[in-house]
Amino acid sequence: MTAVTDRVAPGDRYGVRDLLAEAAAGVGARPGRLLLTILGTVLGIASVVVTVGLAQTAAVQINQQFDAVAATQAVASAATSPGRDGQERALARLPWDAAERAERIAGVEAAALVSEVDLAGADVSAVPVHDPSAPRTSAPPVLAAGPHALEALQGRLQQGRWFDAGHDARGDRVAVLGADAARRLGVQRVDRQPSVFVGDRAYQVVGIVDDVARRTDLLGAVILPTGTARADLGLAAADELHLHVAIGSGPVVGEQLPLALDPNEPDTFTVGVPPTTSRVRDSVQADVSTIFLALGGVALLVGGVGIANVTLLSVLERVGEIGLRRALGATRRQIAAQFVVESVVIGLLGGLVGAALGVAVVVVVSAAQSWTPILELGMVGLAVLAGGGIGLLAGLYPALKAASVEPIAALRGGV
Amino acid sequence: MTVLDLLGAAEEVHDRAPVVELRGVTRQFPGDPPVHALHPTDLTVRAGEYLSVVGPSGSGKSTLLHLLGLLDSPTDGEYLLDGRPTSGAGERERAALRATRIGFVFQAFHLLPHRTVLENVLLATVYSGVPRAERRERAVAALERVGLAHRLDFLPTVLSGGERQRTAVARAVVARPAVLLADEPTGNLDSASSESVLALFDELHAEGLTLLVITHDDEVSARAQRRVRIADGRLQEIA
């Protein structure tokens, strides 16, 4: 048809500008229906944005809580295996210099052994007198700890001091009391140099500890230096090595610590280290996101079906208009393009409103929980485009229907 | 306009090129037995002619209109529009011919209810390749021509029937077609509105537009310069 079309300048032919203008007019003709049409897409896009946004926000909040204690605490102990009689037996022994070995590893800020001491019936009291008429009380437990236990367990002294490496090496008879144990034993002040008696031996109380982040049983116990416990009470083996590590050094410490403790048999120790922050985030995101993303996907599907349904209905309603446009010289392709573009515009609108709604919900929920809302902006843009994509898919079949309308039949009815 | 002028005009017409020329055009609809909606027909409409086709319903009027408007294709024969054969034209060429060479006026007006009068007229310029800069100007001029300059921003739903049909006429002529095809243009109008539309047709004809009006109403057909009767798919010139 060169003869006719060549007379028209390319800029004056039916082009993208005309297509967009006609589609915009078609979309805007029924504002009320437009709202209903985009509702499904709005809800779907909003739920996806909320899901991802809250997962990202929550993951960071949870990490901040982890940072306080869990992300800096590690513990090592001898591996156990069930023996012939069914009892768990240790496969190895933590070396007595385990704390010194561990502190040489980069990332370990403090390390200390902590062990329970078997008193074999010996009594613990603040007075050495055996009063047969006094009621028997259960003795507070006795623990043995290293000189850096206060740092390793992030403890706080109420008064006095923690024993040092010298006390430990010499086996000095000094003790630190947990706050609860001090109350039970009637010790209130350390500046009067009180003593507690374990069995018949007197131990000078040098400090009272009233808070620890781990091993809270310390608060109810009498704590002796490990060297003293070995010399006086026959401590045979250390139970646990507690470490305070730098944030993020967990995996490295976990790898190196068993080798440092026993280069020949590193497998005989179990080490519990904090996971890296990214691993924490991944696991939290995976948990929170999956189910809500699935819900969002279903909502999006419903939204797409909604657009397809209404667009198809609109094609049937606008048969007269289609016939008129064909009579005015529109090709089938131009008709199809108009309905596809209308559907894409509806989808984009739904995506835009849904993304805005989703961001608003993330902000409001975060504000209510006093969280910092965190949301990737690229994700929001992507959500809007996803709405357009849904509109495109939903519009294809109605557009084909519109293109196949026969103008003769269409013109018999009214517009 | 005097009688002498009319005679002169009539003589001139015979020298002009035919705008519409049917050569043995036939339209059958498949069936058992096949329906002959239009028997082999010859018809020539020259530039500037005002022709009416009159006939009862079921006589093949609509089939003829659809063939002339390139909305349907003949089973046999050749249709020349502006001297060019159309039987080999594809879908896109036919659409382009409809956009540039043919203007339609329908009984049911077919105005888009959510667009203003001006936008409805502009719609025809979009598909026919009227230069972008001229579109608005020409649509306004067409509406002024049909006497609706004061209704540009009204919605068709608030117009009277006569005003709606005149809007449709403005839409049909805005792209300067070779021929205006009107299908029962007064079918939905009262007599006063009918008269205003028919007077408009007379004026457009006087200005040189080629008109082809299809109607069942003898009064409407009497306004035309040349009349053709159609019955049972056969055309017959009324002297």
Side-chain angles (χ1 to χ4, degrees), chain A residues 1 4-5 7-8 11-14 17-18 22 25 29-30 321 324-332 334 338 407-408 411 413-415, chain B residues 66 71-72 84 91-93 95-101 104 106 110-115 123-124 126-132 135 171:
Chain A
M1 191 60 249
V4 170
T5 45
R7 243 182 280 158
V8 178
D12 299 326
R13 282 186 212 150
Y14 185 86
R17 272 171 66 182
D18 300 307
E22 290 303 311
R30 297 270 190 95
E321 176 188 333
L324 171 75
R325 286 178 186 273
R326 295 291 306 279
L328 291 177
T331 60
R332 286 183 196 278
Q334 286 165 349
Q338 181 182 339
I408 296 174
L411 286 168
V415 168
Chain B
H66 294 148
L71 296 172
D72 196 6
R84 275 194 298 272
E91 146 76 16
R92 289 183 64 176
E93 297 175 27
L97 280 173
R98 281 200 296 273
T100 55
R101 317 307 302 155
F104 284 98
F106 305 98
H110 286 298
L111 299 171
L112 301 187
H114 299 290
R115 309 275 189 104
L123 193 62
V126 168
Y127 295 106
S128 56
V130 172
R132 228 168 262 281
R135 286 181 186 173
R171 181 180 63 195

Side-chain angles (χ1 to χ4, degrees), chain A residues 17-313:
Chain A
R17 272 171 66 182
D18 300 307
L19 175 63
L20 289 180
E22 290 303 311
V27 169
R30 297 270 190 95
R33 172 181 291 188
L34 178 65
L35 279 181
L36 283 178
T37 311
I38 65 173
L39 194 61
T41 319
V42 167
L43 292 179
I45 295 284
S47 61
V48 170
V49 170
V50 168
T51 304
V52 176
L54 283 186
Q56 286 176 346
T57 303
V60 173
Q61 310 311 320
I62 291 164
N63 282 345
Q64 285 173 352
Q65 288 168 2
F66 274 24
D67 289 348
V69 177
T72 58
Q73 287 291 330
V75 62
S77 57
T80 57
S81 116
R84 210 182 296 171
D85 55 358
Q87 278 191 320
E88 292 282 324
R89 282 174 209 282
L91 295 176
R93 223 180 237 198
L94 281 169
W96 293 112
D97 61 346
E100 287 80 21
R101 291 177 187 227
E103 280 172 353
R104 283 183 215 124
I105 298 171
V108 176
E109 290 173 354
L113 289 170
V114 176
S115 324
E116 285 177 26
V117 180
D118 184 5
L119 292 181
D123 199 13
V124 176
S125 66
V127 281
V129 180
H130 293 286
D131 180 1
S133 63
R136 291 221 22 116
T137 54
S138 68
V142 174
L143 295 179
H148 294 150
L150 195 65
E151 294 83 17
L153 297 170
Q154 289 173 278
R156 193 182 63 202
L157 282 170
Q158 186 188 13
Q159 46 183 308
R161 54 169 292 194
W162 195 264
F163 42 79
D164 58 30
H167 294 128
D168 189 41
R170 291 187 300 268
D172 286 349
R173 291 188 174 156
V174 293
V176 171
L177 299 184
D180 295 340
R183 208 172 302 126
R184 275 175 65 185
L185 293 170
V187 176
Q188 274 128 30
R189 305 181 60 168
V190 297
D191 51 2
R192 290 189 185 156
Q193 301 187 324
S195 292
V196 291
F197 292 83
V198 177
D200 294 329
R201 297 192 189 94
Y203 294 83
Q204 190 193 342
V205 177
V206 295
I208 296 176
V209 61
D210 69 348
D211 187 32
V212 282
R214 280 281 187 95
R215 289 295 301 244
T216 46
D217 56 335
L218 252 65
L219 297 180
V222 174
I223 306 144
L224 307 179
T226 305
T228 310
R230 285 173 68 193
D232 290 354
L233 299 164
L235 178 66
D239 296 338
E240 286 178 341
L241 176 67
H242 281 269
L243 305 104
H244 178 59
V245 299
I247 293 171
S249 63
V252 176
V253 171
E255 204 174 302
Q256 295 181 350
L257 185 58
L259 285 169
L261 293 178
D262 188 347
N264 293 323
E265 286 182 285
D267 295 344
T268 55
F269 299 99
T270 56
V271 179
V273 291
T276 54
T277 47
S278 67
R279 233 188 282 164
V280 174
R281 184 178 303 154
D282 288 348
S283 62
V284 171
Q285 265 185 353
D287 289 349
V288 178
S289 301
T290 314
I291 190 157
F292 283 100
L293 276 183
L295 284 177
V298 171
L300 279 185
L301 192 70
V302 173
V305 171
I307 292 183
N309 204 6
V310 176
T311 309
L312 197 59
L313 186 72

